[in-house]
Amino acid sequence: MPSGARRLAVNGTVHSVRLPPDTPLLYVLRDELHLHGPRFGCGLGQCGACTVLLDGTAVRSCTLPVSAVGDLPVTTLEGLGTPDRPHAVQQAFIEEQAVQCGYCINGWIMTTVSLLAKTPNPSDPQIRSALSGLICRCGAHMRIFRAVRRAAQQRS
């Protein structure tokens, strides 16, 4: 590995990247690894469009320096399922037609995956609390909420 390079385990593949340690993880994922599931929304960690899983926990990649990732595995939307075999949460979002413009959907799906991994049968208040930091300007919140419930019911 070249000097100054760091290894990142993303979607089950180890990558070597050479970037300043304060580079936001989002830039590494999009610009270096060409993964476009996580999106640039606000750049301040407020909207959630950039959400990825870091060791199973939903984090905002636009404010997370790449040096903070360490050896923990990163999962992006591309690492969940495939178009032919979507992840159960992706399938629930499809079935509930929870996507309108789709720009922010990455954050909702990744946050739901994290929620259901830790709380397989969340109550409505738990779902609302988990998703409260995400913003959808299209107003698809109720369809998204139904998709989360559907995904939880299908897992149980």
Side-chain angles (χ1 to χ4, degrees):
M1 187 164 52
S3 176
R6 63 187 75 251
R7 291 176 183 252
L8 286 177
V10 180
N11 299 335
T13 301
V14 176
H15 302 271
S16 179
V17 294
R18 187 181 182 112
L19 295 164
D22 60 346
T23 302
L25 177 61
L26 176 65
Y27 297 174
V28 177
L29 297 172
R30 290 186 62 86
D31 300 340
E32 301 298 321
L33 305 182
H34 307 289
L35 297 168
H36 296 142
R39 306 252 172 83
F40 184 89
C42 65
L44 302 170
Q46 296 175 346
C47 72
C50 66
T51 303
V52 299
L53 301 180
L54 182 62
D55 198 24
T57 299
V59 298
R60 306 294 167 88
S61 66
C62 71
T63 57
L64 183 69
V66 68
S67 60
V69 174
D71 295 330
L72 298 175
V74 176
T75 306
T76 69
L77 190 66
E78 292 91 340
L80 291 183
T82 66
D84 293 333
R85 298 195 66 200
H87 182 278
V89 171
Q90 292 171 311
Q91 186 63 43
F93 274 65
I94 292 168
E95 290 171 4
E96 290 293 339
Q97 300 180 8
V99 179
Q100 194 159 336
C101 83
Y103 195 82
C104 66
I105 208 66
N106 168 73
W108 297 93
I109 290 174
M110 300 309 285
T111 302
T112 299
V113 169
S114 178
L115 167 68
L116 296 181
K118 295 175 178 140
T119 310
N121 296 305
S123 65
D124 288 354
Q126 287 172 315
I127 294 171
R128 285 189 177 90
S129 176
L131 302 178
S132 65
L134 299 164
I135 298 172
C136 172
R137 302 184 103 187
C138 297
H141 294 93
M142 289 312 298
R143 288 182 278 161
I144 291 169
F145 189 82
R146 286 194 301 268
V148 175
R149 274 198 254 154
R150 178 186 287 258
Q153 290 167 351
Q154 291 175 344
R155 292 172 50 104
S156 58

